[in-house]
Structures are given as structure tokens and as C-alpha cells.
Amino acid sequence: MFEHKKLTDLNDYFTELNSRKEKGVYFYRINGYNETIKEFLQRYYEEARVSGVVIEGRIPNPDEKNLSYYEEIMGTNFQINIEFITMSLKKWLPRMNDYQRKNVAMSIYGTLDNMRKEGKNENMLKNAYIKFMCWLYYRFERIVNKLGENNIPKILYEGEISNYELKLISILSNAGCDIILLQYNGDANYLKLDKDSKLSENVNINGMTKFPDTFSVKWMRKEIEDRMNVRRLYGTEPQVRNCTNAWTEGRGLDDIRECLQGRGTDSALFYNCFYRINGVEDKLIYMNQLYQLYLEIKNSKRKLLILEETVPAPTMEEINSIKRKNYSTKEQMLMDLSNNIKYTANIELQRLINKAFIDIILEESNIQGMNLNKLTNKAVYLLCWLHRYQKELFVNWKMPEVSCLIYLGGCKNENESMFMRFMAKLPVDVLILNPNLNTKCCLEAPNLLEVSYTESMSVNKFPRESSEIHMGTAAYHAERELDSIMYQDSGLYRNQQYGKAVSVTLQTMYEEIAILWDQELKYRPNFSTTDSVVNVPVIFAKVSGVKDGLVPQYWSGIKSLITKDTFVVKNVPFIEPAGSNPIKPYVTEFYKNGRLQKDRIKSHQNYPYGFLREEIQNHILEKLQILIEQKSIKGTFENGTEYTIIATVLNMDKDIVRMIQKFDFTKKNPKLIYINTTEKMISLEDTILIAFLNLLGFDIVFFVPTGYQSIEKYFNKRVMEEHQIGEYVYDLNVPDFGKIPSNTRRSWREKIFKRGS
């Protein structure tokens, strides 16, 4: 029989019998979990599945049919001696050779003899013997003819083993079989059967913890099936693979510079970096460092792709170029979409890209809440970016070349993060530069190497020409640091500090309009700044009627609201529907497939706002997109009103455009007063302009002494607060406000604070 030996390493289980340091078998219990245990069990399960036995739960007791067949073949005789057991095995399990039969017979005899010494009577011994024989035939017949061979058969038992199961497993172990008992609930029940651990040993490895609730043989089986399915998706796998960061020394930019020959010599590997550098080491030389890196990469003839601030989302043309179908499973989707990966110039590169694509999408499929439709969209995005950039990165590629992708600014969303992880699996150095510590890159990856510095610097453009390098003096950077201290979370704001804003319409009493009207935005309720966006509280109201019917005081009150930043509309409509508009002929080019074509608008020869600050242009186009998507204007996406919206917004009055250019989101906002004293309805174009300026951050008040409907006609819902302040007055003429005397009545502040003067 075979002796039980002690392990020096779990992988000793996979050593053939003749190659083991001590010729014998292993019988161990596993009661805890870590990654080493997981990897071992997955491999052991696979071996037991192929050339051994896997037991999930208890071994069923022989049923009446099993016992009847045994009695029919073997009869009812029973003797406790090796000769009887040997002859019985020859008849019952004829595939065993004499050597195997002898070992099993001796092991069964030893077990029964020990039971007899423990006081078991002959009938009990006979029942145990028949149970062992039935189990050997019905559960272990596939391995009894392999016992003791050089390739040792393996048994994996999952769960809490019973007394007779342990005896049979021990019989097989003594006859030349390796055993693993997989016990999720610890050793307590086992030690009731073998309190001194004479039959088996316990695995004890540092870092072991309780098994995860999801871990089981069933889970391992699914993992193996999934891996096999993935291999089928790969098709022919690449001959080379990536060695990412293993060769690096944490030197940041110097690792990127390292020549390919100095990285490693294994012809089956390409050696690439996956780096993120946060902050800057020295502000005075940072831009020059980037420029020198750029020159060195270009001079080394390596391919280089530089992205700044964002990875532009795929266009509709790019998305439509991806051939795809409807899918019912992710495997079906991956098999079909991978046909879009074509690189016939180098079939090995095509296989690398295909494998990386499948691996990344499978990783994305494990994200909580992911569904097939969303996963398909991600896969399409990835293919669009691959098609867009593969020429710059991989043209004429051959081993062991490694191109370089530099992303300045860091990942802003999960799709960009996915793209960077994808590129890091290919022969590409991926370098993410995040010099501004006030921004955060959302990329997370286990193989990402990170270097962080304490100094922060705002850099929006990667220097490709010496003329683009702007080197700040020490005094300059000190001033910037002081600037950031003063204007960050302090309630103080420098001029034009923010480039983005969201308007929040205030619900107010009528009397509050005059109080808030000329007030800086930062003092208004609900003003806030979040990251790089200002929440701008604005007034959007309609004032109907004349207070007490006092017309002179009515006009005087309106005049008090006309500041230097107020645009006044006296004639209705302000924009004539049939008026000249040079943008109208081109609007169908500017809106396609549900998206505003912002780049096309900016590059068009008739684009009227190219002279404005870049952030203001972006602000205008962003709010234009929102106005269309809100569908608050009647007819949007029904009769082409979306094109009227575009034409109107891109043809605003020059004075209004100048007010927008001047707008500082943390200070006083521009204003518009619209006076309608007649029965005339305002035009659709007027309604569009008013709605747009509200989104942009204007204060807007309609004065309608008649109380008639005006702006309401073209809105799908109520959008502004209406204040009924007095009786309706008709046929008024709007006066020249320059000739109206200022309102000399005491203000509410004077009434409160100067009561005793």
C-alpha cells in the first residue's frame, strides 16, 4: 500500500509519482481560502474531472436496485480475509490489475479489521463491506484501474464527509490515489471522525480566510466553462503577449523613454508601460520635460498619439461604420463584432487586438448593472476608437515595436477608462498625465503604475513645438498658488474663474424682484459652485397688471430695473418671423441624428460667434443643445421647430451677444425686460430667444399691463412665475425711459434702517 507524504508546496500534487521526492500519495484537507488556494483548486478540479472523481455532497447510499445487482453477481458470502476480498474484487471489478487489486484488498481488509477491533459485529462489517463494494463499482469504477500508476488519479470531495465515506476515501488513498477534502465550514466535524488527523493533513498557508459565499465546485466548473468559451471566441490566439510594467523601475517619464532593447529580451513578449503621473515634480521645467519627451519619441521613430483633455466621442458616421446585428448573448455579440477588427498587414497584431478587445469587454460585462445593450454600445465605442487611431499607432507594426499613447488630463468617464485599459494590453506605452491635482482621473486598473507629486499645475495643451512652451517664473507660480488659495472654497472669485454654468430659476414674491435684480449672483439664494460648474440663480417672471392702476409709478418702477446690463424690448414682436436670417439655409446641416453638430457649426463660414471667448461659445452651444432636447418649445421634433431654434439662437442681436460675452457667472448677470402693452402675441422666435437666455443665465421679466397671454403660446408647459400685481390697464404706450424721473420713494432698506432719521 501507499504511504501518505507531506507537501512542500500545493503544486506537488501535480507531480507524477516517479518524480516525487518521496514516493507516496497526498491526502489533505482545505479549510480556508486565498488566491493561491483558489488557483490550486481550479487546477486540481480540472485534473480530477478529467482523470479522477469529483464528489459534490454526500455519496448516495446503495439503493435496492444496486444491492440486488450486487447479490446477483456476488452472492451473499462474506469473509474477513485478504484472499476472499481479492477474489471478490477480481469478479466485481475486473478492470483492475493484480497489483491494484492486491492494494485495494489489503486496504479494505485493514479498514474492516480496525472496525472489528472497535467492537463492530460481523453483520455490521458485512454491511460496510457491501457498501464499499457498491461505492467502488458505481462511483469509482473509472479510477480503480488507474490506482498507483505514475499519473496518480485524484479525488476532490466537497462538503462534510461522513464516517463511512472517509473510510472508503482512505481505502482509495492507501491504494494509490491523491485526495483533497474541501471543507467550507472548517474542520470541526471532520475531527469528530479523525481527532488526531491520522488519516489526512490540514493545509495551512499564510493569509487564508473564510471561503467566499459564492465559492463552490459548481462555481469552478462554470469558470472553466467560461474560459473555454472565451478561448473559442479568441479563435487562433497570438504567439506573443504583453509584459506590462514588470520591467519598469518607477522612474516616470524615464521609463517611457527606455529603449525597447533595454526593456527585455524574451522574443515572446512585448514590453510596455501603463503609467499615470499625478501632479508635477517641478513647475519651472515641467513643460520643457514634456517637450523633450515628445522630441525623443519622435526622433526614435516610435509612433506617437497625443490626446488632450478628452477622447472625442465617436461620430455617427464612425458608429454607423461598425457592422453589427441584434444579439441575445454577449458571446454572440463578441463573436460577431470582432469581425470588425481587420489588420491583414500583420495577422499577429490582428490576433493581439482581437484578444484584447474580447478581454476588455468581458471585464466590462462584470460591472454591476451592466446589460447586453449597454455592453454592445461599449464594444462599438471601443471599435470606433480603434479604427480612428490604429493607423497612427500600428501602421507597419512588427515585433518588438511599442508605440506611445499620451493622454493629457486624465480619464473623465468609464468609456475613456475602458479605452486606456484596452490600449495597455497592446504594444503601446500608455501614459496618462494629470498635472492638475484639482482634477481626478477615474481610471482604475490593477496593472496601472502610479507616480504622484505634490505640486499642481494646470496644463491644457501638450507642447509639440518650442513656440508652445510657456515657462513660468518662480514668482509667477507663487502667485498662482496664492491665487488658488484665495479663490478656492473661500467665497471669493476671480474674474471669469468659471467657464460653465447651470441656471436655476428662483420662485420669488413680486417684491423680491426689485431686491434681487441688481444683486451679484453669489449673494442670491441657491448660488453654489460644484467642481467647475456654477449654479446660477435667475429670475424668470411675468408681471401682469398695474399696481393700484397708477401708471406713472408703474413706468417709474420698470425704469428702476433698467441697469447698464439690461436689454429692453418695447416693440412686439422683437424678432419678425419673416426677417432676414443668414443662418437659416444651413440649419439642416447643424443638427443630425439627434445631436447638435457643434464642430461643424464652429467651422462654418457663416458662424457668427467665432470672436467670442471659447468657453462662452461652448456655453452657447451647450445650452442650445439642451433647449432642443428639453422639447419645451411647441413643435420641437414635430414640425421642424428644432431648426427654427438653431437659426434663432445663431442669429441673436449684437447687443445681446455682447452682454453674453461680458457675462461673469459669479457676478451680476445680464437681464432682459420685455414689455407688451397691446394684444399682439410675441413670435415663436421671441419665445425661443427668451427660453434660451433663461438657460444661459439671464434675468428675464415680462411686463404685461393688460394681463393677456403673451409668451405662453409657444411653450409646452408653464415655465415662469406669474405675479398679478393690480388692475389691468389697456392701450398704454411705452414711454422714453430716459425722460421718466427716477423713483424717489424710500427703498425697503431705507424704511428699515433709517426709520429714525
Side-chain angles (χ1 to χ4, degrees):
M1 293 194 298
F2 287 80
E3 292 183 4
H4 291 180
K5 301 298 180 182
K6 291 187 180 295
L7 293 168
T8 56
D9 184 273
L10 281 174
N11 289 322
D12 291 346
Y13 263 103
F14 308 117
T15 304
E16 293 183 340
L17 180 62
N18 294 335
S19 300
R20 293 183 177 181
K21 293 178 182 178
E22 295 182 277
K23 198 168 184 180
V25 296
Y26 304 121
F27 188 176
Y28 274 80
R29 313 184 302 276
I30 297 179
N31 297 295
Y33 176 87
N34 59 24
E35 283 299 311
T36 301
I37 294 291
K38 172 188 168 183
E39 292 172 7
F40 164 75
L41 285 174
Q42 287 179 320
R43 183 178 175 187
Y44 188 90
Y45 166 79
E46 184 65 13
E47 295 231 358
R49 186 185 66 83
V50 173
S51 58
V53 175
V54 178
I55 301 167
E56 300 176 62
R58 296 288 175 85
I59 307 172
N61 283 322
D63 58 22
E64 289 296 327
K65 187 177 179 181
N66 300 149
L67 295 171
S68 295
Y69 180 71
Y70 174 82
E71 189 173 329
E72 180 186 336
I73 300 299
M74 303 300 295
T76 58
N77 290 337
F78 171 67
Q79 300 175 31
I80 303 182
N81 62 68
I82 293 177
E83 292 75 15
F84 173 79
I85 297 172
T86 302
M87 293 305 297
S88 297
L89 287 171
K90 187 172 185 178
K91 185 177 182 180
W92 183 240
L93 296 166
R95 291 209 299 158
M96 283 195 291
N97 60 36
D98 291 341
Y99 174 71
Q100 293 163 341
R101 193 176 300 114
K102 176 185 175 183
N103 284 336
V104 174
M106 290 176 63
S107 189
I108 291 175
Y109 172 78
T111 299
L112 294 174
D113 190 48
N114 287 335
M115 291 174 66
R116 180 169 54 186
K117 291 175 182 177
E118 291 169 358
K120 301 294 189 291
N121 60 40
E122 186 167 341
N123 189 54
M124 296 171 71
L125 296 175
K126 180 180 179 180
N127 289 338
Y129 169 75
I130 293 173
K131 179 178 284 192
F132 293 157
M133 294 292 274
C134 286
W135 276 348
L136 286 171
Y137 182 84
Y138 289 108
R139 198 69 180 86
F140 297 97
E141 197 276 338
R142 65 177 299 205
I143 65 167
V144 292
N145 65 320
K146 299 176 182 178
L147 293 169
E149 292 185 353
N150 193 38
N151 185 20
I152 299 174
K154 292 171 172 47
I155 295 174
L156 174 61
Y157 185 101
E158 177 189 51
E160 297 181 356
I161 198 165
S162 67
N163 184 28
Y164 282 96
E165 287 175 320
L166 179 58
K167 293 183 187 305
L168 178 67
I169 294 295
S170 297
I171 289 169
L172 290 168
S173 176
N174 294 334
C177 188
D178 285 334
I179 314 288
I180 283 288
L181 297 185
L182 183 53
Q183 303 181 143
Y184 302 131
N185 297 319
D187 227 7
N189 284 322
Y190 175 87
L191 293 175
K192 293 176 183 177
L193 307 176
D194 179 23
K195 67 177 182 178
D196 297 322
S197 292
K198 292 180 179 179
L199 300 179
S200 68
E201 300 279 346
N202 181 41
V203 171
N204 191 2
I205 299 176
N206 289 337
M208 291 175 66
T209 60
K210 186 179 182 297
F211 278 97
D213 293 337
T214 56
F215 190 87
S216 66
V217 168
K218 182 179 179 181
W219 177 85
M220 287 193 289
R221 183 162 54 249
K222 185 178 184 304
E223 281 283 291
I224 291 170
E225 290 172 358
D226 289 346
R227 285 201 296 269
M228 292 176 64
N229 289 335
V230 170
R231 282 197 288 270
R232 282 194 287 270
L233 290 174
Y234 290 154
T236 304
E237 293 194 45
Q239 298 295 309
V240 297
R241 57 190 177 88
N242 58 309
C243 176
T244 303
N245 290 343
W247 55 273
T248 60
E249 299 179 7
R251 299 175 299 159
L253 298 182
D254 288 336
D255 281 332
I256 303 293
R257 291 188 178 95
E258 181 68 51
C259 67
L260 301 180
Q261 295 76 12
R263 297 182 176 191
T265 57
D266 190 333
S267 60
L269 300 174
F270 58 85
Y271 297 86
N272 69 326
C273 297
F274 190 18
Y275 250 111
R276 177 167 59 211
I277 302 179
N278 299 308
V280 301
E281 188 174 12
D282 188 337
K283 294 179 182 179
L284 295 179
I285 62 173
Y286 182 70
M287 295 301 289
N288 189 52
Q289 284 179 320
L290 296 187
Y291 180 59
Q292 292 303 319
L293 175 68
Y294 171 80
L295 290 180
E296 289 183 38
I297 293 174
K298 296 295 286 186
N299 291 337
S300 68
K301 307 301 182 184
R302 289 175 63 193
K303 298 169 189 68
L304 174 63
L305 170 64
I306 297 174
L307 300 172
E308 297 160 325
E309 296 299 303
T310 185
V311 183
T315 64
M316 291 308 300
E317 289 80 3
E318 289 175 317
I319 291 172
N320 291 335
S321 72
I322 303 300
K323 297 177 182 177
R324 58 193 184 277
K325 304 172 184 174
N326 294 322
Y327 309 110
S328 56
T329 66
K330 66 182 178 185
E331 290 79 14
Q332 184 188 48
M333 177 266 289
L334 284 168
M335 185 70 76
D336 182 61
L337 285 183
S338 60
N339 291 324
N340 288 277
I341 299 172
K342 302 294 183 186
Y343 204 86
T344 54
N346 191 312
I347 193 63
E348 184 67 8
L349 179 60
Q350 179 171 316
R351 290 168 180 166
L352 272 172
I353 295 172
N354 186 64
K355 183 177 185 299
F357 170 72
I358 291 169
D359 287 344
I360 286 294
I361 297 302
L362 288 176
E363 288 177 18
E364 294 292 305
S365 71
N366 293 324
I367 296 175
Q368 188 173 7
M370 185 63 64
N371 56 48
L372 183 59
N373 184 58
K374 187 176 180 181
L375 191 65
T376 302
N377 291 338
K378 282 178 167 287
V380 170
Y381 255 57
L382 203 55
L383 290 169
C384 288
W385 280 331
L386 172 65
H387 288 179
R388 183 193 296 170
Y389 298 122
Q390 69 178 16
K391 185 174 181 181
E392 291 180 73
L393 291 170
F394 302 124
V395 65
N396 299 324
W397 178 86
K398 59 183 182 296
M399 276 290 288
E401 290 178 0
V402 174
S403 53
C404 187
L405 165 58
I406 299 175
Y407 185 20
L408 176 63
C411 299
K412 308 299 186 299
N413 55 58
E414 60 185 25
N415 285 334
E416 290 187 355
S417 172
M418 171 184 68
F419 179 59
M420 295 301 149
R421 289 187 287 112
F422 170 62
M423 281 292 151
K425 291 179 179 291
L426 301 176
V428 179
D429 283 344
V430 177
L431 173 61
I432 298 169
L433 298 173
N434 188 34
N436 188 349
L437 296 176
N438 293 321
T439 64
K440 181 169 176 57
C441 171
C442 68
L443 171 63
E444 294 182 6
N447 61 336
L448 177 68
L449 188 60
E450 195 156 19
V451 174
S452 296
Y453 299 108
T454 57
E455 293 198 50
S456 180
M457 185 174 177
S458 180
V459 181
N460 300 319
K461 187 173 178 60
F462 194 95
R464 296 173 175 83
E465 302 288 342
S466 58
S467 60
E468 295 176 338
I469 303 177
H470 301 277
M471 303 291 289
T473 64
Y476 170 84
H477 289 296
E479 184 183 33
R480 296 280 74 75
E481 289 177 2
L482 179 61
D483 191 61
S484 65
I485 293 171
M486 288 182 63
Y487 299 117
Q488 185 171 341
D489 301 325
S490 65
L492 299 175
Y493 303 97
R494 64 175 178 268
N495 290 335
Q496 307 296 347
Q497 181 171 343
Y498 292 93
K500 295 182 179 179
V502 175
S503 66
V504 179
T505 299
L506 295 172
Q507 289 184 307
T508 69
M509 296 174 60
Y510 166 67
E511 289 76 12
E512 289 181 291
I513 293 176
I515 297 171
L516 297 171
W517 188 257
D518 202 31
Q519 193 175 70
E520 286 194 9
L521 294 168
K522 63 184 178 182
Y523 299 124
R524 288 184 178 181
N526 300 304
F527 173 87
S528 64
T529 59
T530 306
D531 296 329
S532 59
V533 179
V534 184
N535 293 314
V536 176
V538 299
I539 297 167
F540 194 19
K542 176 183 176 183
V543 178
S544 295
V546 176
K547 190 171 184 180
D548 300 325
L550 301 174
V551 173
Q553 286 84 345
Y554 178 70
W555 295 126
S556 181
I558 294 175
K559 179 181 179 178
S560 68
L561 299 179
I562 301 176
T563 68
K564 63 178 181 178
D565 294 317
T566 303
F567 188 89
V568 180
V569 176
K570 302 178 183 179
N571 299 313
V572 181
F574 174 60
I575 303 174
E576 293 286 351
S580 173
N581 188 328
I583 295 295
K584 272 188 180 179
Y586 310 106
V587 289
T588 54
E589 302 175 26
F590 296 161
Y591 195 83
K592 291 186 177 181
N593 302 312
R595 296 297 299 174
L596 190 68
Q597 306 298 304
K598 297 177 184 178
D599 291 337
R600 183 170 293 181
I601 291 172
K602 284 185 174 183
S603 61
H604 196 274
Q605 61 181 359
N606 286 62
Y607 175 57
Y609 304 143
F611 55 84
L612 298 178
R613 290 183 288 123
E614 187 69 27
E615 57 267 28
I616 286 296
Q617 293 185 52
N618 294 335
H619 189 56
I620 289 172
L621 296 179
E622 179 188 340
K623 301 310 177 187
L624 174 55
Q625 173 79 39
I626 291 172
L627 181 58
I628 296 171
E629 290 177 349
Q630 283 181 343
K631 295 190 287 189
S632 58
I633 307 294
K634 288 181 180 178
T636 306
F637 301 127
E638 294 175 3
N639 56 20
T641 298
E642 60 271 23
Y643 298 116
T644 305
I645 293 173
I646 295 170
T648 302
V649 170
L650 295 182
N651 189 45
M652 289 186 290
D653 182 270
K654 185 196 302 183
D655 289 334
I656 292 177
V657 173
R658 288 177 176 177
M659 293 169 71
I660 296 171
Q661 162 73 3
K662 180 184 175 184
F663 186 14
D664 188 331
F665 300 141
T666 63
K667 296 183 171 55
K668 292 181 181 180
N669 58 330
K671 301 149 196 326
L672 183 140
I673 292 175
Y674 197 116
I675 305 171
N676 187 0
T677 63
T678 69
E679 291 81 7
K680 288 185 178 179
M681 299 294 290
I682 75 170
S683 64
L684 170 63
E685 288 77 6
D686 281 8
T687 306
I688 291 168
L689 177 65
I690 295 301
F692 175 72
L693 294 181
N694 169 250
L695 286 175
L696 213 61
F698 274 56
D699 283 339
I700 299 170
V701 177
F702 272 76
F703 284 97
V704 186
T706 62
Y708 291 149
Q709 284 200 49
S710 51
I711 193 171
E712 294 90 344
K713 178 179 179 181
Y714 294 105
F715 274 118
N716 281 318
K717 58 183 178 180
R718 181 181 175 183
V719 296
M720 63 172 62
E721 194 78 11
E722 183 171 5
H723 302 284
Q724 298 286 345
I725 66 168
E727 63 184 81
Y728 298 148
V729 179
Y730 307 98
D731 301 320
L732 293 180
N733 293 315
V734 181
D736 180 353
F737 286 104
K739 296 180 179 179
I740 292 179
S742 297
N743 192 340
T744 58
R745 290 184 302 170
R746 289 193 298 171
S747 70
W748 66 275
R749 293 184 182 86
E750 292 173 321
K751 290 177 181 178
I752 293 174
F753 296 112
K754 297 185 180 180
R755 190 169 293 169
S757 61

